[in-house]
Amino acid sequence: MKITDFGKIMVIVPHQDDELLLTAGVLYSAAHAGLNPHVVMVTNGDYGCHDHSVGYARLRETLAGVELLGVPGEQVTFLGYADTGMPRAESFLAGLYDETDENKVHPSHCGTETYGLPEKPDFHAQHFGKPAPYTKAGFVQDLKAVLDEIEPDSIITTALCDTHGDHSGLYQFICDELHSRREAGKKVPTLYTGIVHSPAGDENWPLRDGVRPLTCPDGLESASTLRWEDRIVLPVPQEMLNEDLTQNLKHRAISCHKTALKPDAVDFLYSFVKADEVFWKVDL
């Protein structure tokens, strides 16, 4: 499969750095093929912070990382939702998805409504004149509106089997919205999914074996419907194959995420500097 087969790509992910771990090569290749890929950041990655300082830092780090790949800031959208924990019981997006009262506010550590940067507001504030409350109804409205605005041919997002609740919750929201669009007779983009936090555990996958092809995570096929032999393999561009990591473009882009590169996460994040990126096409 060639990058041009995807058409206009929307990468929509929960947290700052997911866009690079999953799709740095895709974004670079699409940008340099003139496909104008768009990145949508769903949360502000502000877990545990009691003000907006971490969110501001992480949003600016995303802009710096994707701009290295040739994706300008105007092709990045901040939905501005909260980041409250990794287990599904603590996850913001999974909590919203499982909520039965669509107007119930789910507060985070630092607020009850969406926010972006002072210089680049969140999507809801830009389009509706004020931030959205942290509700299921608000999130569904924003997801519908951002799809209407960007009109992608293809969407790449996180997987249902991903062990981070925000990742699996986002996948469920997107599938529901695409089913709704089909029922309404609207254009339905092709959906692709990829893994960040695998059933093998972050300490075990991806392998810490240098710039090699990705291997199948242990437990993938028992924990999901994904089959390794069904994956779509996209080799990364030459600029991301250099074993001298100071010269490797994907490594350099990930290095923009200084806030995420905590001592216990460094090996995991850089382990995604691989010779390929893999995805699965979703049959809706």
Side-chain angles (χ1 to χ4, degrees), residues 198-254:
S198 82
D202 292 354
E203 69 278 12
N204 299 313
W205 188 89
L207 298 181
R208 280 59 164 169
D209 62 348
V211 189
R212 306 287 184 272
L214 284 162
T215 58
C216 181
D218 289 344
L220 174 68
E221 299 193 358
S222 59
S224 76
T225 60
L226 301 179
R227 297 293 172 262
W228 191 246
E229 63 268 21
D230 296 335
R231 74 196 185 280
I232 296 166
V233 180
L234 296 178
V236 298
Q238 187 66 37
E239 291 82 355
M240 297 183 183
L241 291 173
N242 201 321
E243 293 280 0
D244 177 358
L245 297 182
T246 64
Q247 303 300 313
N248 185 299
L249 182 60
K250 186 163 183 173
H251 188 278
R252 289 173 53 214
I254 293 171

Side-chain angles (χ1 to χ4, degrees), residues 164-230:
H164 196 305
D166 283 345
H167 292 221
S168 57
L170 176 59
Y171 173 90
Q172 290 174 296
F173 270 120
I174 291 172
C175 285
D176 285 358
E177 172 57 22
L178 295 187
H179 283 299
S180 295
R181 295 175 87 80
R182 175 169 290 162
E183 291 171 2
K186 292 185 176 181
K187 173 184 175 179
V188 179
T190 304
L191 180 61
Y192 299 90
T193 188
I195 303 168
V196 177
H197 302 282
S198 82
D202 292 354
E203 69 278 12
N204 299 313
W205 188 89
L207 298 181
R208 280 59 164 169
D209 62 348
V211 189
R212 306 287 184 272
L214 284 162
T215 58
C216 181
D218 289 344
L220 174 68
E221 299 193 358
S222 59
S224 76
T225 60
L226 301 179
R227 297 293 172 262
W228 191 246
E229 63 268 21
D230 296 335

Side-chain angles (χ1 to χ4, degrees), residues 101-166:
D101 179 356
E102 66 175 11
N103 294 309
K104 180 181 177 180
V105 174
H106 285 234
S108 74
H109 302 91
C110 62
T112 60
E113 62 184 19
T114 57
Y115 69 95
L117 293 170
E119 67 272 23
K120 186 176 177 62
D122 67 89
F123 178 83
H124 200 93
Q126 285 184 310
H127 289 75
F128 301 103
K130 60 182 180 180
Y134 283 162
T135 64
K136 184 175 187 175
F139 182 72
V140 170
Q141 180 185 31
D142 284 350
L143 184 57
K144 290 178 183 293
V146 80
L147 280 167
D148 285 340
E149 179 175 283
I150 296 171
E151 295 186 315
D153 299 306
S154 300
I155 294 174
I156 300 176
T157 193
T158 46
L160 180 62
C161 67
D162 195 296
T163 59
H164 196 305
D166 283 345

